[in-house]
Amino acid sequence: MDFAILSRALWLLFHKSFGSQIENSYDKNFSKEVMRLAKKNYFKIISNPPVIGKHNPMLINILFAAFVASVYKAGNGKISPAKMGVIMSDGVEQVSLFKKFIGINDYFSKSWQDKRHRQTLQTQKREYPDDFVCEFIYGETFDEYGINYYECALFKLLKREGCPELAPQMCKFDYVMAKYMNADFKRTKSLATGGDFCDLRYSKKTLEKS
């Protein structure tokens, strides 16, 4: 999808649910002001987008990080990073369309994993300075796999926007994603918390685990 279309669609998808969460935690006037400023912040960010290539498969993740950063910054220090993490997780839970979108793919199929593997190989060429650099790790079966991130586009974007402290909260979003991917998720370290890389590990949920 075209960058401009997708970036605007993402705003339309999430701004009401995030505004609702902020109103629940603070008040209606504060929520309205935050979301008014957030809209300006968000479209300012995407008017000078990170250098990630025209057809980046992780574009929606990067745009989501821009959206979360725009809301956080609009709080002018009144929304803590931890509180922003709660607003983010609860705000996503309100958007059924996004949850359905996450669940479209079969992440434990050979075709999806082969495609993701090819995508990670492309990042290792380091053609785009603001992109991810990552490695796909096949499991013993297609019911498990891993991805190591050596550079994180989301962390780069948050640092560029002056809010690197938000990065650990963005990392928590992986657990939200995993729930709708029908996956169990583990990570022992991340770039955002000072690790040398992020080690994401996924395994397919079984009926016994559900």
Side-chain angles (χ1 to χ4, degrees), residues 46-88:
I46 65 175
S47 71
N48 180 29
V51 181
I52 56 173
K54 290 184 177 180
H55 304 290
N56 194 303
M58 300 292 283
L59 175 59
I60 193 167
N61 302 67
I62 296 167
L63 288 173
F64 184 69
F67 175 84
V68 174
S70 73
V71 176
Y72 173 70
K73 291 170 68 176
N76 291 319
K78 294 180 181 178
I79 303 175
S80 69
K83 186 62 179 178
M84 191 67 233
V86 174
I87 291 169
M88 175 186 68

Side-chain angles (χ1 to χ4, degrees), residues 5-193:
I5 294 174
L6 185 58
S7 59
R8 283 160 176 76
L10 190 136
W11 172 265
L12 291 172
L13 191 63
F14 287 113
H15 79 279
K16 288 185 179 179
S17 66
F18 274 60
S20 174
Q21 290 302 318
I22 295 169
E23 182 176 341
N24 290 342
S25 297
Y26 299 90
D27 60 57
K28 187 173 184 178
N29 289 334
F30 181 67
S31 174
K32 287 177 68 175
E33 180 63 10
V34 166
M35 296 313 296
R36 183 186 69 82
L37 292 174
K39 187 174 184 179
K40 290 184 178 181
N41 291 342
Y42 178 68
F43 286 101
K44 182 179 179 181
I45 292 171
I46 65 175
S47 71
N48 180 29
V51 181
I52 56 173
K54 290 184 177 180
H55 304 290
N56 194 303
M58 300 292 283
L59 175 59
I60 193 167
N61 302 67
I62 296 167
L63 288 173
F64 184 69
F67 175 84
V68 174
S70 73
V71 176
Y72 173 70
K73 291 170 68 176
N76 291 319
K78 294 180 181 178
I79 303 175
S80 69
K83 186 62 179 178
M84 191 67 233
V86 174
I87 291 169
M88 175 186 68
S89 297
D90 291 348
V92 169
E93 292 284 0
Q94 282 187 251
V95 182
S96 58
L97 182 61
F98 187 68
K99 292 185 289 187
K100 289 178 181 177
F101 174 79
I102 297 172
I104 287 174
N105 292 308
D106 181 358
Y107 301 91
F108 299 97
S109 66
K110 182 180 185 300
S111 60
W112 186 89
Q113 293 186 21
D114 286 347
K115 180 179 180 180
R116 192 73 184 95
H117 177 235
R118 291 192 298 270
Q119 291 168 347
T120 63
L121 290 176
Q122 192 67 28
T123 71
Q124 293 167 30
K125 297 179 181 180
R126 288 179 164 82
E127 294 178 297
Y128 305 108
D130 299 326
D131 197 7
F132 295 95
V133 176
C134 48
E135 171 191 20
F136 187 87
I137 301 167
Y138 285 100
E140 293 184 5
T141 72
F142 290 110
D143 285 346
E144 58 185 18
Y145 67 90
I147 304 178
N148 289 340
Y149 286 89
Y150 301 102
E151 295 182 19
C152 176
L154 311 186
F155 196 16
K156 292 176 185 178
L157 176 66
L158 294 173
K159 286 192 286 187
R160 189 190 83 168
E161 294 303 315
C163 49
E165 69 275 14
L166 203 56
Q169 303 303 320
M170 287 299 306
C171 292
K172 294 178 182 179
F173 187 58
D174 289 325
Y175 292 90
V176 178
M177 291 277 289
K179 180 164 63 172
Y180 298 102
M181 290 167 58
N182 191 37
D184 286 319
F185 174 74
K186 293 181 181 179
R187 178 178 48 225
T188 66
K189 56 184 176 179
S190 70
L191 293 165
T193 54

